[in-house]
């Protein structure tokens, strides 16, 4: 392949053990010209230590307020091939499962109308098609949607929900993460494609407290699978772990955060009343220990990255919810939260930030949730609490 | 373009069931356990006794269609076409026929795929777009990931760490990745306030929303210029105003750089999820290989490996030994920037007389 | 108001906002309710029609807004 630009800095990153993104960009020069100028532009950024991309603007497909991120180079005359270089967010199938035919279908469309570069996947979960021009957006959407693919979310809308592998291939999944994710996605298509919220709203669904999808850190609503009842123990397998060299006392019993386990050299005992369901023992002794039989989810709300008043982790708003199709209780809760957020939220205010501003008790009353000790790590320290009219003796 | 098919709206993604291998469909929700066979191979066994083998390889996240086609061909050959991706951008080949695993592993190795990332190791690095595609990037993301993973590749393909080590890179403080809750993470930071392009602000920006975007109230209207002004001493360089108003560019190549944060996690195992905390406030951008950054990451990782107990994540290890000890044994300098003066600052002050000398 | 009237009200609102304070979709809904007593569902349906026809477009600048299409 004849190179359009010299890229000594980028060439350095083709060396080494880890797969190279530069090699990928070079491959993409074979199917379209975009990547040639992308290499030139990127080499410039590496030299100048500065990005050469500008904000988006009004760009998208007709009728939708999301799914396309406008991107323009700030030096279009020098690198005309990437003057427009918009991103198309394609809603991924739950769990990131594909068939080779499905991948080739995406490739065919993307080689015809775009740069040939993808992200598998973006941080929110979308299958990201990286770089095309404004004229190609409608054709791409027609090709994709006529074959059963749709765009994900962007802007002040529900963002593309995503989940861990769940019950498809994990023994720890307490809930059907893929079914929940698919149901939320399908049920709220309007909220995803036509931005109507104060700001973005993300869902992530994790099958257990291992949280492989990082829902507690990256989702406005974090749905985390859990259980009630006793952890199921197979003492024969416990013995096998010991035989296999595991130091059960040190690795399991002593590391239990609630000290609710015992081991007498033969069998494990658990004082389940004191178990906080952290998953450590189950994850380390997967053949011997299984979650309790009554399954459901803990619903947490509010996490976000530090912009703007500091990062938040989601916190408990529903200690335990049954999770069975068609997930009406969950959808009802979502509707109540969105309505409250829409009424009180300021522009660019995430739901977690709004709760911080107005107070968690105000939120609980606003969405009609009963307070529960599981919602806090400790009760308040200060004596400055509010009362309602009905609490006052007249 | 008259030959275009008819567009549909609001159909949502294809249903995942179309993409599940038959053995997964059959044993959905009925998996019994899994075993790690090697850094890149694990087997899940169902209650029925059925098995599925997963072979995991690294990916740079940016993939050309040619690579997707090659992976598809490999999946056709060994996996009946079934393939998936992980939340950390790894690629997983799903093998239902156990007899095909060795052939798959051999072909992947022959084709220079990097197998690994399973178990107590370093998995793929969650990261953002950086200079490849983002307007607010203070550093590159893919370049940093490549530089670091080339150095640490043996911890992906082979060597174990005391517990999982989750790395992340975000090219600015927007953190479109889980940087704020990772074991060791890099984030692009600015050190200088945005410039105010009065003429362009007049045309491009809305004054009230620009003023409102500032978390420290450093921005106020400048009616004379139909623009805004910044109280420099209040600005903490977050760039939120630039997101709202493109006429306030904050990029500053001499002063933009990389901060390193450590000790975050999202899993609830043993201890509660944790935020990452500041280890190094600023390292200059030094592309293409950012040697100062990779050295610092290695130093932190090596100190962790030497000091942590089995199953202990970076954050758990640091909390056990104490942050004062962390700075002591890593040799990292504790600077004024390490002392918090933002929203949650007071919770971080030591309200006790117990600490290590 | 029938749907066409709601559409007209939305269009006028957006036309008047151009070059001034940009309106978010939820601002439009709140204003429709306050000025004309239009329910949210009806407002959303009218806005969807306008968007589908390309009469109005969504824009993004640190948040989603409703605007006239660029000339």
């Amino acid at each position: 392949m004849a190179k359009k630009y010299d890229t000594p800095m980028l060439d350095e990153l083709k060396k080494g053990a880890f797969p190279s993104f530069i090699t990928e960009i070079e491959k993409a020069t074979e199917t379209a010209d975009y990547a040639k100028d992308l290499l030139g532009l990127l080499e410039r950024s590496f030299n100048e230590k500065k990005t050469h991309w500008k904000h988006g603007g009004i760009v998208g497909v007709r009728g939708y307020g999301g799914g396309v991120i406008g991107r323009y180079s700030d030096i279009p005359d020098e690198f005309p091939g990437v003057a427009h270089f918009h991103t198309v967010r394609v809603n991924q199938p739950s769990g990131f499962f594909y068939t080779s035919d499905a991948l080739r279908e995406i490739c065919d469309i993307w080689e015809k109308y775009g740069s040939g570069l993808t992200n598998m996947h973006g941080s929110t979960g979308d299958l990201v098609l990286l770089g095309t021009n404004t004229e190609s957006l409608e054709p791409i959407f027609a090709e994709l949607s006529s074959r059963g693919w749709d765009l994900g979310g962007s802007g002040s809308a529900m963002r593309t929900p995503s989940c861990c592998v769940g019950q498809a291939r994990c023994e720890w999944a307490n809930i059907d993460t893929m079914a929940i994710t698919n149901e939320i996605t399908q049920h709220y298509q309007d909220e995803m494609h036509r931005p109507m919220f104060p700001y973005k709203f993300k869902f992530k669904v994790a099958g257990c407290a291992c949280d492989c999808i990082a829902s507690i850190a990256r989702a406005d609503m974090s749905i985390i699978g859990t259980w009630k009842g006793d952890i199921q123990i197979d003492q024969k397998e416990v013995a096998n772990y010991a035989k296999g060299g595991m130091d059960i006392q040190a690795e399991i019993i002593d590391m239990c955060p609630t000290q609710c386990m015992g081991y007498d050299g033969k069998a494990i005992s658990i004082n389940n009343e004191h178990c906080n369901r952290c998953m450590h023992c189950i994850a380390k002794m997967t053949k011997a220990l299984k979650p309790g039989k009554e399954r459901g989810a803990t619903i947490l709300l509010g996490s976000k990255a530090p912009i703007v008043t500091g990062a938040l982790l989601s916190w408990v708003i529903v200690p335990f919810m049954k999770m069975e199709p068609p997930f009406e209780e969950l959808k009802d809760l979502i509707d109540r939260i969105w309505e409250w957020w829409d009424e009180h939220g300021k522009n660019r205010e995430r739901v977690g930030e709004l709760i911080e501003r107005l107070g968690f008790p105000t939120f609980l009353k606003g969405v009609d949730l009963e307070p529960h000790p599981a919602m806090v790590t400790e009760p308040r320290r200060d004596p400055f609490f509010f009362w309602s009219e009905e609490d006052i003796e007249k | 373009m008259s030959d275009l098919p008819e567009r549909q709206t609001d159909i949502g993604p294809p249903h995942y069931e179309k993409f599940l291998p038959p053995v997964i469909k059959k044993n959905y929700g009925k998996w019994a356990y899994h075993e790690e066979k090697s850094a890149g191979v694990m087997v899940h066994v169902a209650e029925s006794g059925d098995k599925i083998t997963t072979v995991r390889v690294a990916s740079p996240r940016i993939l050309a269609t040619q690579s997707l086609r090659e992976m598809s061909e490999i999946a056709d050959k060994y996996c009946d076409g079934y393939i998936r991706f992980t939340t950390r951008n790894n690629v997983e080949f799903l093998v239902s026929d156990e007899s095909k695993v060795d052939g798959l592993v051999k072909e992947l190795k022959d084709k220079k795929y990097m197998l690994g990332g399973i178990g107590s190791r370093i998995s793929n690095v969650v990261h953002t777009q950086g200079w490849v595609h983002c307007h607010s990037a203070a550093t590159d993301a893919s370049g940093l990931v490549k530089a670091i993973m080339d150095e640490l590749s043996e911890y992906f393909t082979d060597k174990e760490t005391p517990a999982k080590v989750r790395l992340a890179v975000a090219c600015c403080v927007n953190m479109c990745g889980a940087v704020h809750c990772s074991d060791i993470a890099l984030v692009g930071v600015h050190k200088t306030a945005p410039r105010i392009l009065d003429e362009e602000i007049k045309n491009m920006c809305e004054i009230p929303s620009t003023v409102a975007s500032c978390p420290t109230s450093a921005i106020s209207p400048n009616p004379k210029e139909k623009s805004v002004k910044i109280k420099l001493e209040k600005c903490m360089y977050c760039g939120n105003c630039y997101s709202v108003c493109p006429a306030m560019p904050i990029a500053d190549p001499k002063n933009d750089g990389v901060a390193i944060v450590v000790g975050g996690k999202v899993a609830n195992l043993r201890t509660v999820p944790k935020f990452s905390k500041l280890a190094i406030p600023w390292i200059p951008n030094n592309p293409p290989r950012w040697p100062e950054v990779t050295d610092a990451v290695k130093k932190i990782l090596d100190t962790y490996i030497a000091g942590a107990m089995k199953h202990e994540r970076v954050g758990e290890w640091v909390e056990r030994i104490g942050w004062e000890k962390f700075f002591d044994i890593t040799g990292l300098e504790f600077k004024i920037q390490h002392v918090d003066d933002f929203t949650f600052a007071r919770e971080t002050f030591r309200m006790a007389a117990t600490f290590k000398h | 108001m029938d749907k066409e009237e709601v559409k007209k009200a939305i269009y006028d609102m957006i036309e008047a906002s151009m070059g001034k304070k940009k309106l978010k979709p939820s601002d439009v809904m709140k204003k429709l309710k306050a000025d004309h007593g239009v329910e949210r569902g009806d407002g959303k349906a009218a806005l969807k029609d306008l968007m589908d026809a390309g009469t109005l477009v969504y824009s993004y600048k640190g948040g989603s807004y409703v605007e006239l299409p660029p000339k």
Side-chain angles (χ1 to χ4, degrees), chain B residues 32-47:
Chain B
Y33 65 90
H34 74 278
E35 283 177 340
E36 293 160 13
K37 296 290 182 189
S38 66
V41 180
M42 61 179 166
V43 180
H44 284 80
V45 182
E47 289 163 8

Side-chain angles (χ1 to χ4, degrees), chain A residues 172-193:
Chain A
W172 302 327
N174 292 292
I175 51 175
D176 190 346
T177 60
M178 303 208 302
I180 295 166
T181 302
N182 192 63
E183 180 60 27
I184 295 171
T185 309
Q186 291 290 356
H187 186 75
Y188 294 112
Q189 282 288 297
D190 192 46
E191 284 76 4
M192 179 146 85
H193 291 136

Side-chain angles (χ1 to χ4, degrees), chain A residues 18 87 100 123 176 287 348, chain B residues 28 35 76 133 146 176 240:
Chain A
F18 194 72
T87 298
S100 51
S123 294
D176 190 346
K287 285 184 181 174
R348 282 170 72 76
Chain B
Y28 197 93
E35 283 177 340
D76 283 341
H133 209 238
K146 171 74 177 144
C176 309
N240 198 43

Side-chain angles (χ1 to χ4, degrees), chain A residues 151-163:
Chain A
L151 301 189
S154 63
S156 305
M158 179 176 92
R159 298 301 185 83
T160 311
S162 65
C163 61

Side-chain angles (χ1 to χ4, degrees), chain B residues 74-113:
Chain B
I74 296 171
D76 283 341
K77 205 161 151 191
Y78 301 97
C79 313
D80 309 308
Y82 294 102
I83 186 168
R84 80 175 283 269
F85 297 82
T86 72
T87 54
R88 303 192 73 83
N89 313 113
N90 296 298
V91 184
E92 291 188 337
F93 293 91
L94 304 168
V95 196
S96 301
D97 178 351
E98 234 180 328
S99 70
K100 291 186 176 170
V101 172
D102 291 346
L104 171 62
V105 168
K106 182 173 184 307
E107 177 157 353
L108 288 170
K109 284 185 175 164
D110 287 348
K111 293 206 156 101
K112 305 286 177 223
Y113 284 88

Side-chain angles (χ1 to χ4, degrees), chain B residues 52 97 126 180 182 204 207-208 244 249 275 281 295 308 352:
Chain B
I52 188 157
D97 178 351
V126 167
H180 58 302
S182 295
M204 292 171 81
I207 306 295
V244 174
F275 289 115
D295 283 354

